[in-house]
């Protein structure tokens, strides 16, 4: 449940910074030193280090499936198997929760998101990221091979022996935002870590067909099947925006209502 590259960390940190500043102004927080931060899937502590360097937090807690990865001596790691256990923290314990490159490893990611909501303080911020299975590189791979990019065939009863690096649960931008809204979050903001060159290549050939057929399909879904309404239409349309079509990693920021 670690982090993949520094670009993901930077994207998550920048989004966390802007979101938390807004939340702090509502709470009239004095400084970053008062922010209670939890990093889920903390790994070596790279994201915590980056948030400290940016002056966002001075003290962080960590939660991971093992405490053996953490390289920051002053960070306490609470061990929890989020497939089976709740987060080992009391309600409203944190102002900021970060969860980068974790939910694709979980069997029950919606339950984990509800736990993140529970441990956040009202007006608190969550930043969460996951591989973008809707970029065009991933869509073409799924069309040809039947598996999304960064997700592949899994060995039966040998969960550690597969090329997907523990990725068992592909979650698209729509289902991620839906699960966040369903848990009670608001102010959903979707970004990416960086454009992917292979997806940009495919965009040249597929952008117009995607725009045409997605427009027709949305119209049909709204009129015939009633699956799209004013509450979810923006997130359906977001699936075929430039960022989602070419972005390597989805980074989502949101807040817990006060």
């Amino acid at each position: 449940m670690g982090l993949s590259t520094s670009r993901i960390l930077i994207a998550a940190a920048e989004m966390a910074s802007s979101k938390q500043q807004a939340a702090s102004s509502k709470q009239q927080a004095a400084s970053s030193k008062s922010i209670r931060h939890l990093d889920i899937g903390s790994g070596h502590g790279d994201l915590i280090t980056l948030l400290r360097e940016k002056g966002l937090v001075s003290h962080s807690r960590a939660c991971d499936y093992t405490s053996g990865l953490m390289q920051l001596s002053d960070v306490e790691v609470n061990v929890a198997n989020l497939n089976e256990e709740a987060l080992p923290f009391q309600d409203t314990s944190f102002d900021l929760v970060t969860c980068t490159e974790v939910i694709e490893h979980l069997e029950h990611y919606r339950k984990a998101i509800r736990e993140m909501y529970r441990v956040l303080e009202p007006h608190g911020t969550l930043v969460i990221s996951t591989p973008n299975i809707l970029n065009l590189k991933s869509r073409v791979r799924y069309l040809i091979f039947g598996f999304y990019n960064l997700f592949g065939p899994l060995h039966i009863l040998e969960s550690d022996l597969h090329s997907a690096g523990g990725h068992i649960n592909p979650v698209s931008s729509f289902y991620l935002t839906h699960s966040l809204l369903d848990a009670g979050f608001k102010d959903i903001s979707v970004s990416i870590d960086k454009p992917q060159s292979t997806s940009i290549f495919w965009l040249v050939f597929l952008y117009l067909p995607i725009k045409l057929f997605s427009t027709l399909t949305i119209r049909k879904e709204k009129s015939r099947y009633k699956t799209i309404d004013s509450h979810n239409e923006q997130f359906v349309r977001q699936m075929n925006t430039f960022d989602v079509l070419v972005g390597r990693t989805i980074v989502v920021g949101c807040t817990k209502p006060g």
Side-chain angles (χ1 to χ4, degrees), residues 72-92:
L72 301 175
S73 59
D74 62 334
V75 175
E76 178 184 356
V77 180
N78 291 80
V79 176
N81 178 357
L82 295 185
N83 282 322
E84 301 174 359
E85 302 171 299
L87 287 171
F89 307 103
Q90 295 183 350
D91 295 359
T92 66

Side-chain angles (χ1 to χ4, degrees), residues 127-196:
V127 178
I128 188 168
S129 75
T130 193
N132 178 19
I133 63 171
L134 293 181
N135 65 46
L136 289 176
K137 178 180 179 179
S138 182
R139 295 190 192 197
V140 171
R141 186 174 190 265
Y142 187 85
L143 175 66
I144 295 171
F145 186 40
F147 291 94
Y148 296 109
N149 192 41
L150 300 181
F151 294 84
L154 306 177
H155 288 265
I156 306 302
L157 300 179
E158 297 180 73
S159 60
D160 292 334
L161 301 178
H162 53 79
S163 62
H167 293 182
I168 63 172
N169 198 352
V171 184
S172 72
S173 62
F174 177 85
Y175 286 107
L176 178 54
T177 54
H178 181 274
S179 63
L180 291 168
L181 291 166
D182 204 44
F185 287 101
K186 66 174 186 176
D187 301 330
I188 307 294
S189 176
V190 177
S191 183
I192 60 172
D193 65 331
K194 71 169 188 176
Q196 187 179 63

